[in-house]
Amino acid sequence: MPAGIMIPARNMTSLIGRNGTVGGFGSSSGLTLGQPNMMEGQLHTLDMAPNTSESDIPRLRDDDFDSATKSGSENQEGASGDEQDPRPNKKKRYHRHTQHQIQEMESFFKECPHPDDKQRKELSRELGLEPLQVKFWFQNKRTQMKTQHERHENTQLRTENEKLRADNMRYREALSNASCPNCGGPTAIGEMSFDEHHLRLENARLREEIDRISAIAAKYVGKPVVSYPLLSPPVPTRPLELGVGSFGGQPGLGGEMYGAGDLLRTINTPTEADKPMIIELAVAAMEELIRMAQMGEPLWMTNLDGTSIINEDEYIRTFPRGIGPRPTGFKCEASRETSVVIMNHINLVEILMDVNQWSTVFSGIVSRAMTLEVLSTGVAGNYNGALQVITAEFQVPSPLVPTRESYYVRYCKQHGDGTWAVVDVSLDNLRPSPTVRSRRRPSGCLIHEMPNGYSKVTWVEHVEVDDRGVHNLYKQLVSSGNAFGAKRWVATLDRQCERLASAMATNIPTGDVGVITNQEGRKSMLKLAERMVISFCAGVSASTTHTWTTLSGTGADDVRVMTRKSIDDPGRPPGIVLSAATSFWLPVPPKRVFDFLRDENSRSEWDILSNGGVVQEMAHIANGRDTGNCVSLLRVNSANSSQSNMLILQESCTDPTASFVIYAPVDIVAMNLVLNGGDPDYVALLPSGFAILPDGTVAHGGGIGEAASTGGSLLTVAFQILVDSVPTAKLSLGSVATVNNLIACTVERIKASLSCENA
């Protein structure tokens, strides 16, 4: 069955060395913790305990003790506290070491600061000292070195603290002289609350409305800005839960494929001193977004394909402040797109302000996302005034395009009845880093309520990015805006809104063969397919959590592989999973490639693992206007009896900027439970499939719709293979070679079939 085979790892040459690292796969060896150094202070205490009693300490002469600790050369001539004369009036004798003794012990200390009993006895015999004198000398010397090191560190920290204090004062002075662009008055950052600053920028009507809402909230909970759970107006219960976006954070996921990347691990939450500047930046970004969404020429110019592109000179004149000049080597990408989607404006705002739902809906664009801090939950139980600090990673479904990590604030605001805006703006100025390769200027969307549950969305995407790491195959696509621009965000949102609407539909026709009419069964099957799509998209990009290894050649269509372990995760089969992916160009329009790959009748032409069997669709759920948007349950009628108990779950989806055909083998018993409304989270999946993108050279945007009758396609093929069901097993060279041959043969078959059709 496709992507579900077990490749025996026995009798194969192991790629894993004795130290546990995977040879040839870029695996990093584990870090060795310096435990002796970490415990030095504790060992020192334990050494001192049996030799010096607390009652002895006040009896030490101050001048002798200071001299001993300063030079590390004096010690008691006597033995431990137990062996000393108990009479308190008798003075102890002290001994000053000779210069020769000090030099010898200094020399020995450089080689071994922690001598053992044998070394101490030998050294004392050579120098004519007692072993305890040697022991005390080394203890004092270690204390002296530690004190000097701490004094040096304190000096450095004090210098750095003074520098930061001076910078802080300079920033505060600059902010105190700033003026509000709307009212012309002083901004007075830090001297007024967020609500006051928020109200300064409102017109008279909206100020009155917010005061009224705040008064109502204060009456019931005692304060206008509340932290109780977010409320939303009554809406029909959603059959499709969009909370699967937390999938990447489930416990028990093995391997680096689903771990947190460098950005998500290293960025800290904002400090109290940062928050006034974040508020100021968010309010200015909201004002800029509203103007950019509503302005026309000369700020926005219309391209030949009908898309809007920004006039950079006009932008600088119109918005002179912003987040500073563009970094050297960065390129500007700015686009705007408008569309009407089938979703209520309140639900749209809820999706955008919930990072789990947002990353699930845009799983083809957002590989990972996390809310670092919620600075404000909003006013009067909704998201009006909500302020969140977020870090996210944006992707193209191909290992040839580097992901874009971003650290930004998201601000939501209501602009009258039925009109909302959500804006993002980078906070990289708060945490300067040389590794930042992209930053978001004010970007987001303006949402207008429309009749019958529809919403009009105007999306603005404005980023500055270092795109030198993009492979030449994808440069045209990225520069056209179809990879990360507003057109892709809006097209994805439109398709996902249709998917959700179909999941909520109750008037399902019963006459069609194979249509699933059971509401609970539809809900469970769509949730399972959603998890499959998220898993595929998260595992096919060049995310910082992935360690791709190129197997052959230097061309664009090289096969890249990655291994991971799956342990204690009910959503995946346990064992060693080998992921393989490759991207290449086809001289065939994207729609033709999509139709060829999703059609069960042509599956035998490229699916090697189906063994030439006839593929039959047993059930399907349509989830969009386009007939290609559907979830299907396929059965392969193969002569091989071992495959008779397996089915294929497939989701195909398309929009003007991207298409996907994603599938995974599933067990018949498990699918029967799902079709009867059972929990789909315990169905093990290893998704494989295809991501189809336009090459960016076609007029009219190079999309996938009917208009895209010319131009080429960028096709990414990805497989996930369970090579051993034992997570501790070693990966064999034969397994890698088999997967490499599998993906290479699949690519050749696709090229051959489509070239024949094209001819």
Side-chain angles (χ1 to χ4, degrees), residues 58-121:
R59 295 204 302 267
L60 293 175
R61 291 186 302 175
D62 292 340
D63 54 345
D64 288 339
F65 181 78
D66 292 341
S67 175
T69 54
K70 179 181 289 186
S71 64
S73 63
E74 282 193 33
N75 269 298
Q76 292 180 350
E77 201 172 61
S80 66
D82 295 336
E83 296 173 357
Q84 296 174 8
D85 192 336
R87 289 176 295 178
N89 295 329
K90 183 178 180 179
K91 293 185 178 180
K92 301 181 183 63
R93 291 179 300 156
Y94 291 87
H95 172 75
R96 184 178 295 276
H97 301 314
T98 67
Q99 191 66 26
H100 171 69
Q101 291 171 335
I102 294 174
Q103 289 178 351
E104 290 296 321
M105 286 191 288
E106 290 277 4
S107 177
F108 195 91
F109 183 85
K110 294 178 181 179
E111 301 294 332
C112 177
H114 293 272
D116 55 21
D117 290 339
K118 182 179 179 181
Q119 291 171 315
R120 287 197 298 266
K121 289 179 180 178

Side-chain angles (χ1 to χ4, degrees), residues 339-572:
S339 180
V340 176
V341 298
I342 180 170
M343 181 173 285
N344 181 277
H345 64 291
I346 298 297
N347 294 342
L348 270 179
V349 171
E350 182 182 342
I351 289 174
L352 295 174
M353 298 305 295
D354 182 334
V355 72
N356 287 332
Q357 293 192 44
W358 173 69
S359 58
T360 298
V361 168
F362 297 101
S363 59
I365 308 174
V366 182
S367 56
R368 293 173 298 129
M370 153 190 281
T371 301
L372 295 178
E373 186 167 350
V374 177
L375 301 182
S376 172
T377 58
V379 177
N382 60 34
Y383 283 104
N384 184 24
L387 202 64
Q388 304 173 1
V389 177
I390 297 174
T391 178
E393 185 182 51
F394 305 105
Q395 67 175 357
V396 168
S398 171
L400 300 183
V401 182
T403 55
R404 299 178 176 182
E405 294 178 314
S406 188
Y407 169 56
Y408 57 92
V409 60
R410 174 166 293 177
Y411 176 37
C412 178
K413 180 181 176 183
Q414 185 177 8
H415 293 267
D417 293 336
T419 302
W420 292 74
V422 178
V423 66
D424 300 341
V425 63
S426 281
L427 298 176
D428 299 316
N429 291 338
L430 298 179
R431 301 285 189 276
S433 171
T435 60
V436 172
R437 292 291 176 263
S438 69
R439 63 176 190 168
R440 295 175 70 76
R441 285 194 176 271
S443 304
C445 60
L446 191 61
I447 303 170
H448 297 279
E449 180 184 13
M450 296 187 70
N452 301 321
Y454 284 80
S455 299
K456 180 183 178 182
V457 177
T458 301
W459 200 290
V460 175
E461 196 68 15
H462 191 186
V463 299
E464 292 169 339
V465 62
D466 180 0
D467 64 352
R468 286 173 289 186
V470 178
H471 194 280
N472 289 333
L473 199 64
Y474 281 82
K475 277 191 178 296
Q476 184 65 34
L477 173 68
V478 172
S479 62
S480 71
N482 281 339
F484 294 99
K487 185 174 183 179
R488 185 162 183 234
W489 286 93
V490 169
T492 303
L493 177 64
D494 187 25
R495 173 170 53 81
Q496 290 285 28
C497 289
E498 288 184 2
R499 190 184 197 277
L500 183 57
S502 67
M504 298 172 62
T506 55
N507 54 344
I508 308 300
T510 58
D512 296 341
V513 178
V515 174
I516 301 174
T517 57
N518 178 8
Q519 190 68 21
E520 292 301 318
R522 288 170 59 89
K523 172 183 175 181
S524 295
M525 187 167 170
L526 285 172
K527 187 177 179 182
L528 179 62
E530 181 182 59
R531 175 161 66 87
M532 177 179 69
V533 171
I534 293 173
S535 176
F536 174 84
C537 293
V540 75
S541 70
S543 173
T544 54
T545 60
H546 299 169
T547 307
W548 290 106
T549 301
T550 305
L551 289 185
S552 59
T554 58
D557 56 350
D558 295 337
V559 176
R560 289 164 170 79
V561 297
M562 172 177 56
T563 58
R564 64 173 175 83
K565 293 181 181 180
S566 178
I567 306 173
D568 299 330
D569 179 16
R572 295 186 188 85

Side-chain angles (χ1 to χ4, degrees), residues 63 197 201 226 258 426 460 548 622 648:
D63 54 345
H197 194 71
L201 304 175
V226 294
Y258 300 96
S426 281
V460 175
W548 290 106
I648 298 175

Side-chain angles (χ1 to χ4, degrees), residues 288-302 308-319 334 336 460 462:
E288 179 174 322
L289 175 74
I290 297 300
R291 295 177 65 186
M292 290 188 68
Q294 296 174 344
M295 292 176 69
E297 294 183 355
L299 179 64
W300 292 99
M301 299 180 295
T302 304
S308 296
I309 58 174
I310 200 167
N311 182 336
E312 291 191 53
D313 294 335
E314 184 65 25
Y315 171 79
I316 294 173
R317 283 193 295 269
T318 308
F319 306 103
R336 183 176 65 177
V460 175
H462 191 186

